[in-house]
Amino acid sequence: NLYVNSVKSWTTNIFAATNGGVFLSVNNGTSWVDKNSGLTNLTIRALYVNGTELFAGTEGGVFYSSNSGTNWTVKNSGLTNTAVYSIIIAGINLYAGTYGGGVFKSTNNASNWTAVNSGLGNKYVTGLSSNVLGTYIFASTFEGVYMTSNNGSNWVNKNQGFATESGVNRVLVTTTNVYAGTQGESVWKRNYTETIGIENIS
């Protein structure tokens, strides 16, 4: 049986990241074709789609495709932990959250990676999300939510207001709120401007 870890879309293309690789549907899910050529690890934990460019986070690191998944190449230079559970583009940088190694950043489209973990209290990063401009990045970890406002140079704990004893599986940023889904089967919400430290004084 296939387990779907992520579903992403771009125009008429729908991509599914599964424990058996990446699949593509061009007819709203009526039929699917696998897009695994070059993927040496088929346990896909995360997928980021930007036009025809795809980045896959797998148990074997990051893989990149420039042609909608037709071919993949591994992009692990500098990635000291290859269990990649989340991957996003924020601003002009690419970020990968790993299971036990924290967060890694690439400034050159995944050609090289650098760890950016200062202040990150837990390195089991299960999810990453950012605001539209990519100026604030949130990480969900086994010990709650962390945020960076300086491209990962340092992270600040943002657990005020909810219990984190069960860990956070995913974090989502919208224009108005930050949502955290926990292992305790709960969803927590916090005002976005309050979370990043902006207070309404009038």
Side-chain angles (χ1 to χ4, degrees):
N1 293 335
L2 288 179
Y3 298 95
V4 179
N5 292 315
S6 178
V7 177
K8 302 290 183 180
S9 66
W10 190 273
T11 61
T12 58
N13 292 338
I14 302 173
F15 296 91
T18 78
N19 64 332
V22 176
F23 291 82
L24 167 67
S25 175
V26 295
N27 53 16
N28 295 314
T30 301
S31 60
W32 297 85
V33 293
D34 67 86
K35 291 289 183 176
N36 296 332
S37 179
L39 279 175
T40 56
N41 190 298
L42 296 182
T43 305
I44 316 298
R45 296 290 185 182
L47 193 64
Y48 188 89
V49 180
N50 183 27
T52 59
E53 287 190 308
L54 276 65
F55 296 91
T58 79
E59 291 287 350
V62 174
F63 288 81
Y64 169 73
S65 174
S66 62
N67 50 20
S68 298
T70 301
N71 301 102
W72 295 89
T73 55
V74 66
K75 294 283 188 175
N76 286 345
S77 179
L79 201 64
T80 56
N81 185 306
T82 57
V84 179
Y85 275 45
S86 53
I87 190 162
I88 63 168
I89 292 177
I92 60 173
N93 300 317
L94 189 66
Y95 296 85
T98 68
Y99 194 77
V103 178
F104 291 79
K105 178 174 76 172
S106 175
T107 60
N108 52 15
N109 218 40
S111 293
N112 297 97
W113 296 94
T114 304
V116 286
N117 291 326
S118 178
L120 193 65
N122 188 281
K123 293 185 179 179
Y124 288 88
V125 178
T126 53
L128 292 169
S129 184
S130 73
N131 66 331
V132 174
L133 298 177
T135 49
Y136 296 96
I137 303 168
F138 291 81
S140 55
T141 77
F142 277 11
E143 292 181 356
V145 176
Y146 289 81
M147 184 200 76
T148 179
S149 59
N150 53 16
N151 302 311
S153 293
N154 67 284
W155 297 84
V156 178
N157 182 279
K158 291 293 179 177
N159 287 343
Q160 300 82 0
F162 76 98
T164 59
E165 63 274 3
S166 59
V168 179
N169 285 329
R170 287 291 184 266
V171 63
L172 172 67
V173 182
T174 69
T175 55
T176 55
N177 295 297
V178 178
Y179 296 89
T182 72
Q183 294 178 15
E185 299 179 357
S186 298
V187 177
W188 296 76
K189 178 178 75 171
R190 188 173 180 189
N191 181 272
Y192 170 70
T193 54
E194 174 193 328
T195 306
I196 65 175
I198 297 175
E199 296 182 8
N200 186 359
I201 59 175
S202 64

